[in-house]
């Protein structure tokens, strides 16, 4: 298409895009119009007066053809031309950036690697580079996780652990500050894997109209390949927790094939799940369930063995770190009356060494029973009245306790417990819970994930009692809280066989953004037989709210259809309670970024330091104690980052492969505010092998957003001329004739032939 | 020896009574059949559930489970509902040990167990009930002879478990009321004769049977009769200290059962 255009219009489309079409005739336009009028008007009148055998329509058509012909002749006489801005030879610099990352070593379908193609293209002796060198002063850069100026492309190693394209563009732009630059040429497969969005790096280039010309290398199809694209491993978990990790798998060319997905904990297989690979382009989310019984930092490896004729096997593996904490998490369960749920929940979790279920139970008016407290002072005055007292717990469960029991400050404090402290609030159904407990219109109504509907004032709890059969929703089938058997199928079957539970709370609708895990079909009871929400949750601020809108899950233990040794009820409550505290932050939290690096890459440790009331502390003394795999310990002081209250950071650079453990401790006036840990995995990165095909859309976007152009390896010959007219720097104006472009003469000839043909046909010759 | 002495009690080799039909069955004249066979008419969190079991002996002993029934149950429930905020069904609820519906009621009360003679089905029903999480309170049996009979019956339910004494530090004594001393609660009639004991049961005990993880499954009140104190609390000549103790202990047992 481009060739046809160039034949007809003499030049390639990009020149028309960059230049302006203008009339180059030295005669002033009014003079030309006057001369045309003097010649044209008599001719027109002659045409109109001529009669002969012609009809009015004939004269009209012939007049139009002749007028058009004369117009084109007139246009040619006026010398149309293309006014272009072209760079001055050898007065401008041009940056050539070559991708030096590992993904360039991937072989394409033609048997050669991208690295070979890049080396050939960037070779100073190549035709393209020689042509560029005639017009520009070339500066070579190589980029991967970092960017360096190189004297010659021969210095490429193609061993970079990551591709940070945006940073490379910024680096080259900065390096060439102060000299006239015509543009940046990027030779890459586009496999950018930086955390920062590329758009941020393009803004400075757009501001100075510096175009980027991208040359895309690599097949645009991944070929036959299986890839573990993502694993959703939580950062922390309690020892013994049953984890359900979603593994995102992409595959091309293996649709329908069943393969084992293996999960290893430091090389020891913890589970193997057979998965059926999806159709091309259809991602598969495979839930994998396993339990980690050993505390400390664990390295999990998710692996699919290489398949027959697979293009890239390095992306079949994904590693992730998880902190398995062997400690007790405190949950406060406040129950407004004696209920069997208390007994059976405690029974279900009594063997759990990692959950401390503290119970405060109102057994009579102003009389409270405290269970599982640390000492005689805990909850001595009843429900907490201060943030420090309440925020020591990681989750709060409210049973059948009416809203009016609490002061307004306490209700606000509970809402803050979720939104500011990051704790989890779970409200359990009961005659004094949810809307029936008067929570509509209170600060907690906003927190809850369900819509509270005011109950009919004339009905009693018994009138509203319905029995529900619990069914997991699609989100609940493989959820860590509701997967009660080894596989999703077995779990669904188990839920189906459990006896109905009852509720007097009419919960029908979720709030926007909330997720239902269990719903209930009404199997017995009066009135509205719409399905109910049984278990639902939503994020609220930093924390999470949950509603379990039934009142007697203990029947899943006691019902006569349940064998005494059955563990469904225990499993449900154990998992549910662990899920409640799974994401609750400590007062001092630390994270390392990135969590996985190569030796020599810097790591930033960031800590959030709060006091017991979860208020940010700026004047703390915070230290990161970094333990390397060989046992060496380095203490790094962390500085308060002034931008954010309570945020401290420090950097270190791991020098060897392995797992670096980072223990952070925060003190204020010698009082320990808190301590936490994080970790960094130092190993050769596999990031470069993910999505191994060329990312052409990214390269095209970079070119389009900056006024440059994208080229394939085959079309790169056009680059030098394009650069001549589209590049910035020192330029001159250049005029190119258009009057002699073939299109005009073809059109002229065509019009004359049309007129002659019409006259012949109508007998007017 | 004991088996021979009782004659009608099942043996270890043959725990079944020789003729189960002679013992308690649904529809027995002494059983209010509606109470046993029909579920309560309305849903509540708590039902004071009385174990209807088979028993030996003669006369009222043939339905010893129904001693003080239902007046004791109703009076106790009246006071229980007033003292606590428990959502309790206000009437009696007797259930056969063989009824699958037994598992709907995690609290179970049995008395006069010195005459208990469980059938194999009852043994299995009670064992599964307790293992699943049920809680059994035993009351109103006296002296060595009835103890041995009860102990034997429980050995059929739990051959591998022993009965142990509860000390005063046990939570059942302070879950709601602080109880510092175990009183011997006399039967109404016995106190009129000037004594609090029956047979050779001079010292009251609170004992228990625990599961492998230390959960108290069976709470045994031996040489005492709290049921009579509940039943006759309104009598002016029944001493207040005994009825007070019986009600306090009853509330404690229920609050404990619902939280432990």
């Amino acid at each position: 298409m481009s060739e046809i255009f160039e034949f007809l219009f003499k030049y390639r489309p990009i020149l028309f895009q960059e230049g302006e079409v203008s009339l180059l005739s030295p005669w002033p336009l009014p003079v030309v119009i006057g001369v045309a009028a003097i010649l044209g008007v008599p001719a027109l009148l002659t045409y109109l007066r001529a009669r002969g055998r012609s009809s009015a329509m004939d004269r009209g058509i012939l007049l139009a053809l002749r007028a058009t012909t004369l117009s084109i002749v007139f246009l040619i006489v006026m010398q149309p031309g293309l006014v272009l801005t072209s760079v001055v030879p050898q007065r401008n610099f041009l940056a050539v950036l070559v991708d030096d990352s590992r993904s360039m070593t991937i072989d394409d379908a033609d048997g050669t690697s991208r690295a070979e193609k890049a080396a050939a293209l960037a070779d100073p002796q190549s035709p393209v580079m020689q042509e560029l060198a005639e017009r520009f002063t070339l500066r070579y850069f190589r980029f991967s996780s970092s960017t360096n100026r190189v004297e010659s492309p021969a210095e490429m190693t193609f061993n970079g652990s990551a591709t940070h394209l945006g940073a490379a563009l910024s680096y080259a732009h900065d390096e060439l500050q102060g000299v006239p630059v015509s543009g940046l040429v990027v030779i890459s497969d586009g496999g950018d894997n930086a955390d920062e969005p590329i758009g941020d790096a393009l803004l400075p280039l757009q501001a100075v109209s510096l175009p980027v010309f991208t040359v895309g290398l690599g097949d645009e199809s991944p070929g036959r390949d299986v890839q573990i694209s993502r694993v959703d491993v939580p950062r922390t978990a309690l020892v013994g927790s049953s984890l359900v990790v979603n593994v995102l798998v992409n595959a091309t060319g293996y649709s329908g094939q069943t393969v084992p997905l293996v999960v290893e904990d430091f090389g020891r297989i913890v589970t193997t799940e057979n998965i059926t690979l999806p159709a091309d382009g259809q991602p598969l989310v495979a839930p994998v369930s396993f339990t980690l019984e050993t505390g400390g930092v664990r390295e999990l490896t998710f692996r699919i063995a290489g398949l027959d004729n697979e293009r890239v096997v390095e992306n079949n593996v994904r590693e992730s770190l998880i902190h398995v904490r062997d400690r007790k998490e405190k949950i406060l369960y406040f129950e407004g009356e004696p209920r069997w749920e208390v007994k059976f929940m405690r029974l279900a979790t009594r063997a759990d060494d990692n959950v401390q279920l503290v119970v405060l139970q109102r057994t009579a008016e102003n009389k409270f029973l405290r269970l599982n407290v640390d000492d005689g002072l805990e909850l001595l005055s009843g429900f907490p009245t201060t943030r420090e007292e309440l925020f020591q717990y990681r989750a709060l469960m409210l049973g059948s306790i009416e809203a009016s029991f609490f002061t307004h400050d306490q209700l606000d404090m509970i809402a803050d417990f979720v939104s500011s402290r990051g704790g989890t609030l779970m409200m359990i159904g009961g005659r004094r819970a949810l809307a029936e407990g008067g929570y509509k219109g209170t600060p907690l109504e906003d927190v809850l994930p369900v819509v509270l509907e005011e109950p009919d004032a004339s009905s009693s709890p018994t009138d509203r009692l319905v029995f529900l059969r619990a069914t997991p929703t699609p989100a609940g089938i493989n959820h860590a809280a509701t997967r009660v058997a080894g596989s999703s199928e077995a779990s669904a079957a188990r839920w189906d066989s459990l006896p109905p539970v009852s509720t007097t709370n009419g919960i029908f609708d979720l709030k926007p953004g909330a997720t239902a895990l269990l719903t209930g079909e009404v199997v017995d009871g009066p009135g509205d037989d719409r399905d109910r929400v049984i278990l639902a949750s939503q994020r609220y601020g930093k924390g999470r709210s949950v509603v379990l809108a039934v009142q007697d899950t203990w029947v899943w233990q006691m019902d006569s259809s349940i064998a005494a040794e059955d563990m469904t009820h225990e499993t449900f409550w154990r998992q549910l309670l662990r899920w409640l505290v799974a994401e609750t932050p400590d007062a001092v939290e630390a994270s390392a970024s990135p969590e996985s690096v190569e030796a020599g890459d810097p790591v930033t440790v960031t800590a959030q330091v709060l006091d017991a009331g979860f208020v940010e502390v700026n004047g703390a003394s915070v230290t990161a104690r970094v333990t390397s795999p060989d046992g060496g310990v380095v203490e790094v002081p962390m500085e308060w980052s002034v931008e954010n209250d309570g945020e401290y950071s420090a950097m270190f650079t791991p020098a060897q492969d392995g797992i670096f453990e980072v223990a952070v401790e925060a003190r204020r006036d010698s009082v320990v505010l808190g301590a936490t840990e994080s970790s960094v995995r130092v190993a050769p990165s596999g990031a470069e092998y993910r999505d191994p095909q060329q990312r052409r859309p990214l390269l095209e976007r970079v070119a389009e957003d900056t006024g440059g152009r994208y080229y394939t390896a085959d079309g790169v010959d056009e680059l030098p001329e394009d650069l001549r007219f589209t590049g910035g720097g020192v330029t001159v104006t250049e005029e190119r004739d258009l009057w002699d472009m073939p299109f005009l003469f073809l059109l002229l000839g065509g019009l004359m032939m049309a007129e002659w043909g019409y006259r012949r046909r109508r007998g007017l010759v | 020896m004991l088996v021979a002495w009782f004659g009608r009690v099942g043996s270890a080799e043959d725990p079944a009574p020789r003729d189960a039909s002679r013992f308690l069955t649904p529809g027995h004249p002494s059983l209010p059949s509606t109470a046993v066979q029909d579920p309560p008419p309305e849903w509540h969190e708590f039902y004071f559930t009385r174990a209807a079991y088979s028993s030996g002996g003669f006369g009222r002993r043939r339905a010893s489970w129904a001693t003080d029934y239902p007046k004791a149950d109703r009076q106790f429930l009246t006071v229980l509902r007033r003292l606590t905020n428990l959502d309790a069904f206000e009437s009696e609820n007797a259930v056969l040990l063989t009824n699958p519906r037994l598992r709907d009621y995690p609290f179970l009360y049995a008395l006069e167990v010195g005459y208990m003679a469980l059938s194999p089905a009852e043994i299995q029903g009670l064992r599964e009930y307790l293992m699943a999480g049920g809680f059994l309170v035993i009351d109103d049996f006296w002296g060595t002879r009835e103890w041995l009979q009860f102990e034997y019956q429980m050995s059929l339910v739990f051959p591998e478990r022993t009965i142990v004494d509860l000390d005063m530090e046990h939570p059942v004594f302070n879950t709601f009321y602080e109880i510092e001393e175990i009183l011997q609660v006399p039967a109404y009639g016995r106190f009129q004769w000037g004594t609090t004991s029956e047979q050779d049961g001079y010292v009251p005990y609170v004992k228990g049977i625990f599961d492998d993880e230390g959960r108290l499954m069976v709470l045994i009140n031996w040489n005492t009769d709290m049921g009579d104190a509940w039943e006759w609390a309104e009598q002016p000549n029944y001493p207040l200290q005994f009825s007070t103790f019986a009600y306090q202990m009853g509330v404690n047992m229920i609050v404990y059962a619902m939280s432990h």
Side-chain angles (χ1 to χ4, degrees):
Chain A
M1 196 68 186
S2 176
E3 289 76 11
I4 296 173
F5 186 94
E6 190 175 350
F7 169 75
L8 291 174
F9 297 97
K10 237 179 118 180
Y11 305 112
R12 290 187 297 112
I14 191 168
L15 269 65
F16 285 88
Q17 289 170 17
E18 295 297 322
E20 274 185 28
V21 176
S22 179
L23 298 176
L24 304 179
S25 166
W27 301 341
L29 191 61
V31 174
V32 175
I33 293 173
V35 172
I38 291 169
L39 295 175
V41 170
L44 179 66
L45 292 174
T46 307
Y47 243 93
L48 291 174
R49 285 182 189 146
R51 286 291 183 268
R53 288 172 294 163
S54 61
S55 66
M57 189 185 77
D58 292 337
R59 290 196 298 276
I61 291 172
L62 290 171
L63 180 61
L65 288 169
R66 181 57 61 93
T68 307
T69 305
L70 288 174
S71 298
I72 292 171
V73 171
F74 176 71
L75 179 66
I76 292 170
V77 170
M78 290 304 294
Q79 294 183 38
L82 194 58
V83 181
L84 293 158
T85 304
S86 70
V87 296
V88 179
Q90 293 304 326
R91 292 284 300 279
N92 296 290
F93 286 75
L94 181 70
V96 179
L97 295 89
V98 183
D99 190 338
D100 195 33
S101 66
R102 275 178 212 142
S103 63
M104 298 293 284
T105 62
I106 295 173
D107 285 343
D108 287 327
D110 62 9
T112 60
S113 71
R114 301 163 189 181
E116 290 171 299
K117 293 187 181 82
L121 193 59
D123 184 349
Q125 304 306 314
S126 72
V128 171
M129 287 300 146
Q130 283 193 329
E131 201 172 340
L132 288 174
E134 287 172 8
R135 296 185 178 277
F136 305 99
T137 304
L138 300 184
R139 291 285 181 266
Y140 287 100
F141 298 85
R142 69 177 180 191
F143 70 96
S144 52
S145 58
S146 60
T147 307
N148 306 104
R149 166 103 186 267
V150 291
E151 292 305 317
S152 158
E155 295 177 37
M156 303 286 168
T157 60
F158 301 105
N159 192 34
S161 59
T163 304
H164 296 171
L165 177 56
L169 294 173
S170 300
Y171 183 91
H173 182 212
D174 292 345
E175 278 283 296
L176 297 176
Q177 287 282 4
V179 297
V181 186
S182 288
L184 310 178
V185 176
V186 173
I187 301 171
S188 171
D189 59 9
D192 180 63
N193 42 34
D195 293 333
E196 300 78 24
I198 191 82
D200 293 351
L202 301 184
L203 288 173
L205 307 182
Q206 290 168 323
V208 297
S209 301
L210 185 60
V212 179
F213 299 84
T214 54
V215 182
L217 299 179
D219 294 333
E220 294 178 34
S221 157
R224 281 167 67 85
D225 186 49
V226 174
Q227 169 174 289
I228 297 180
S229 301
R230 199 180 69 225
V231 289
D232 294 332
V233 177
R235 224 164 52 81
T236 63
L238 281 177
V239 67
S241 289
S242 175
L243 299 176
V244 179
V245 172
N246 285 329
V247 180
L248 181 68
V249 178
N250 289 88
T252 307
Y254 297 101
S255 175
Q257 190 167 328
T258 299
V259 297
L261 170 61
V262 179
V263 184
E264 300 168 3
D265 172 13
F266 276 125
R268 185 181 64 85
I269 294 176
V270 291
T271 189
T272 300
E273 190 98 15
N274 285 323
I275 60 171
T276 301
L277 295 174
D280 296 358
Q282 301 288 322
L284 167 73
V285 178
V288 183
S289 175
F290 54 92
T291 303
L292 296 174
E293 301 290 356
T294 309
V297 180
R298 314 301 302 174
E299 184 184 52
L300 300 179
T301 306
F302 299 78
R303 188 190 305 279
I304 296 173
L307 304 179
D308 291 341
N309 300 321
E310 189 177 354
R311 172 82 61 81
V312 179
V313 295
E314 288 88 347
N315 60 9
N316 293 26
V317 182
R318 195 95 182 189
E319 292 91 0
S320 187
L321 294 183
I322 182 171
H323 282 257
V324 182
R325 291 173 166 168
D326 191 2
R327 67 182 190 185
K328 262 192 191 301
E329 307 282 30
K330 287 179 80 170
I331 298 174
L332 174 59
Y333 176 18
F334 183 33
E335 184 52 78
E337 57 188 283
R339 288 178 77 187
W340 291 115
E341 285 294 80
V342 176
K343 170 194 176 122
F344 285 95
M345 199 189 303
R346 295 186 69 212
L347 270 183
T349 57
R350 65 179 168 174
D352 193 335
D353 295 330
N354 299 104
V355 170
Q356 181 180 351
L357 183 61
V358 178
V359 176
L360 179 67
Q361 186 171 29
R362 184 178 62 178
T363 52
E365 200 61 35
N366 290 323
K367 189 171 180 64
F368 298 94
L369 172 66
R370 296 176 296 151
L371 298 169
N372 230 7
V373 290
D374 285 335
D375 53 49
L377 295 176
E378 187 173 356
L379 302 171
L380 186 61
S381 305
F383 190 82
T385 53
T386 65
R387 289 166 66 99
E388 288 77 5
E389 200 183 355
L390 179 62
F391 289 9
Q392 68 174 303
Y393 302 101
R394 300 174 72 82
L396 169 66
M397 296 192 289
L398 297 181
S400 184
I401 180 76
E402 65 282 2
S404 59
F405 170 85
F406 301 103
T407 64
H408 194 81
D409 285 348
Q410 282 177 313
L411 291 171
D412 278 339
M413 188 173 69
I414 294 171
D416 284 350
F417 174 81
V418 182
S419 62
S420 301
R421 188 253 182 272
T424 303
L425 168 69
M426 182 164 88
M427 198 170 278
I428 301 173
R431 58 178 176 157
R432 296 187 177 109
L434 299 163
E436 287 72 8
Y439 285 92
K440 193 168 175 57
T442 71
L444 295 193
E445 184 187 7
D446 286 343
V447 179
L448 297 176
V450 295
V451 177
L452 300 184
E453 293 183 19
E454 203 72 68
D456 181 2
S458 63
S459 65
S460 70
T462 305
D463 296 336
R464 297 190 292 270
L465 183 76
V466 294
F467 288 85
L468 307 172
R469 184 173 300 286
T471 305
T473 62
I477 285 177
N478 287 305
H479 195 276
T482 47
R483 183 159 155 164
V484 292
S487 66
S488 49
E489 295 78 14
S491 180
R494 188 71 193 108
W495 279 112
D496 197 39
S497 67
L498 288 175
V501 285
S502 71
T503 184
T504 58
N505 308 109
I507 300 294
F508 300 97
D509 297 313
L510 297 173
K511 285 186 184 160
T515 304
L517 300 177
L518 293 175
T519 55
E521 175 195 0
V522 177
V523 294
D524 190 17
D528 199 331
D529 62 354
R530 284 181 291 162
D531 282 1
R532 311 294 180 98
V533 175
I534 289 185
L535 182 63
S537 76
Q538 73 169 3
R539 302 293 315 180
Y540 186 80
K542 290 182 182 174
R544 188 168 42 181
S545 63
V546 181
V547 161
L548 177 64
V550 292
Q551 58 190 359
D552 52 2
T553 62
W554 59 266
V555 302
W556 293 336
Q557 170 69 25
M558 279 299 287
D559 189 83
S560 58
S561 66
I562 308 280
E565 62 276 11
D566 184 273
M567 296 298 287
T568 305
H569 179 259
E570 286 90 339
T571 302
F572 172 72
W573 274 106
R574 187 167 183 261
Q575 292 182 170
L576 183 60
L577 295 193
R578 282 172 170 251
W579 173 61
L580 294 185
V581 299
E583 296 176 18
T584 305
D586 290 336
V588 175
E589 285 278 318
S591 62
S593 178
E595 293 181 342
S596 182
V597 296
E598 298 209 349
D601 289 344
V603 175
T604 302
V605 180
T606 306
Q608 185 73 29
V609 178
L610 311 173
D611 63 13
F614 279 70
V615 176
E616 296 86 354
V617 179
N618 289 336
S621 168
V622 187
T623 308
R625 186 180 165 88
V626 182
T627 306
S628 57
D630 61 7
V633 176
V634 177
E635 287 206 353
V636 185
M638 300 183 72
E639 301 292 332
W640 173 42
S641 65
V642 182
E643 293 86 4
N644 297 312
D645 286 336
E647 185 180 287
Y648 298 75
S649 63
M651 285 184 69
F652 73 97
T653 304
Q656 60 183 125
D657 285 355
I659 293 174
F660 284 68
E661 297 190 23
V662 183
V664 173
E665 185 181 82
R667 292 173 176 269
R668 182 169 58 183
D669 302 331
S670 77
V671 176
V672 176
L673 292 168
T676 187
E677 70 283 332
S678 185
S679 55
V680 180
R681 177 177 173 272
V682 185
S685 169
E688 280 294 303
Y689 299 103
R690 291 177 202 130
D691 299 323
Q693 69 273 30
Q694 180 196 151
R695 287 178 61 192
R696 176 169 175 164
L698 178 81
L699 296 172
E700 285 182 331
R701 183 200 156 190
V702 169
E704 283 172 13
D705 286 2
T706 56
R709 194 177 166 211
Y710 166 84
Y711 302 89
T712 62
D714 294 335
V716 75
D717 297 345
E718 297 171 354
L719 172 64
E721 189 186 34
D722 292 350
L723 254 169
R724 182 178 164 197
F725 294 108
T726 59
V730 180
T731 58
V732 292
T733 303
E734 183 180 315
E735 295 175 347
R736 293 199 171 191
D737 287 334
L738 287 177
W739 67 268
D740 55 349
M741 60 184 177
F743 174 74
L744 289 178
F745 293 98
L746 287 173
L747 186 60
L748 205 55
L751 287 166
M752 293 171 74
M753 285 177 67
E755 183 181 349
W756 184 76
Y758 189 80
R759 285 179 182 277
R760 280 287 302 258
R761 184 184 177 107
R762 300 286 299 166
L764 300 174
V765 178
Chain B
M1 301 66 67
L2 175 72
V3 174
W5 194 84
F6 264 87
R8 296 185 178 184
V9 180
S11 68
E13 294 76 24
D14 177 18
R18 292 192 190 95
D19 181 0
S21 65
R22 284 185 292 171
F23 301 108
L24 190 72
T25 55
H28 186 282
S30 66
L31 279 176
S33 58
T34 54
V36 174
Q37 293 174 13
D38 293 342
E42 57 193 55
W43 192 94
H44 286 274
E45 183 72 28
F46 179 81
Y47 299 86
F48 187 82
T49 305
R50 185 179 277 244
Y53 57 82
S54 302
S55 57
F58 299 96
R60 74 179 183 90
R61 303 296 188 205
R62 291 196 63 182
S64 63
W65 71 269
T67 305
D68 308 330
Y69 180 84
K71 187 188 174 197
D73 309 43
R74 291 179 182 177
Q75 293 207 161
F76 175 67
L77 280 164
T78 300
V79 177
L80 176 71
R81 284 156 55 94
R82 200 175 69 228
L83 294 175
T84 70
N85 58 357
L86 173 62
D87 173 29
F89 181 51
E90 61 191 2
S91 296
E92 67 280 1
N93 181 45
V95 180
L96 292 170
L97 294 180
T98 52
N99 189 339
R101 201 163 51 79
L102 179 70
R103 299 268 288 266
D104 296 346
Y105 314 109
F107 178 88
L108 193 60
Y109 175 75
L111 78 179
E112 288 279 14
V113 292
Y115 299 89
M116 181 190 279
L118 300 176
S119 69
E122 288 175 317
I123 291 169
Q124 183 183 351
L126 182 58
R127 178 184 170 86
E128 289 178 353
Y129 170 84
L130 294 171
M131 292 305 292
F135 186 77
L136 171 64
V137 168
I138 301 293
D139 184 28
D140 190 12
F141 72 118
W142 299 81
T144 307
R145 193 183 68 191
E146 292 186 8
W147 170 263
L148 290 173
Q149 171 62 12
F150 167 73
E151 186 181 44
Y152 172 71
Q153 291 293 309
M154 291 314 293
S155 74
L156 300 178
V157 177
F158 287 126
E160 70 284 10
R161 303 190 189 280
T162 55
I163 299 172
V164 299
D165 287 336
L166 299 189
D167 60 34
M168 295 306 295
E169 301 302 313
H170 192 275
V172 77
F173 296 115
N174 57 31
T175 296
F176 194 91
Y177 290 107
E178 289 288 341
I179 293 174
E180 296 172 349
E181 181 189 6
I182 300 170
L183 295 185
Q184 184 168 57
V185 180
Y188 177 61
R190 296 293 296 179
F191 188 75
Q192 309 312 311
W193 288 90
T195 179
T196 58
S197 65
E198 294 180 33
Q199 301 180 47
D200 61 345
Y202 303 109
V203 180
Y205 291 93
V206 178
K207 295 171 179 282
I209 300 175
F210 292 83
D211 75 1
D212 293 339
E213 279 78 40
R215 175 177 67 92
L216 182 60
M217 296 187 292
V218 185
L219 182 69
I220 303 158
N221 297 283
W222 180 38
N223 293 338
T224 193
D225 187 355
M226 288 186 289
D228 246 32
W230 299 338
E231 185 181 10
W232 303 110
E234 80 282 10
Q235 290 297 326
N237 54 352
Y238 191 81
L240 184 62
Q241 61 167 330
F242 297 129
S243 57
T244 300
F245 174 82
Y247 276 106
Q248 288 186 341
M249 191 65 191
V251 171
N252 270 21
M253 290 187 299
I254 287 167
V255 174
Y256 175 85
M258 297 185 76
S259 55
H260 288 75

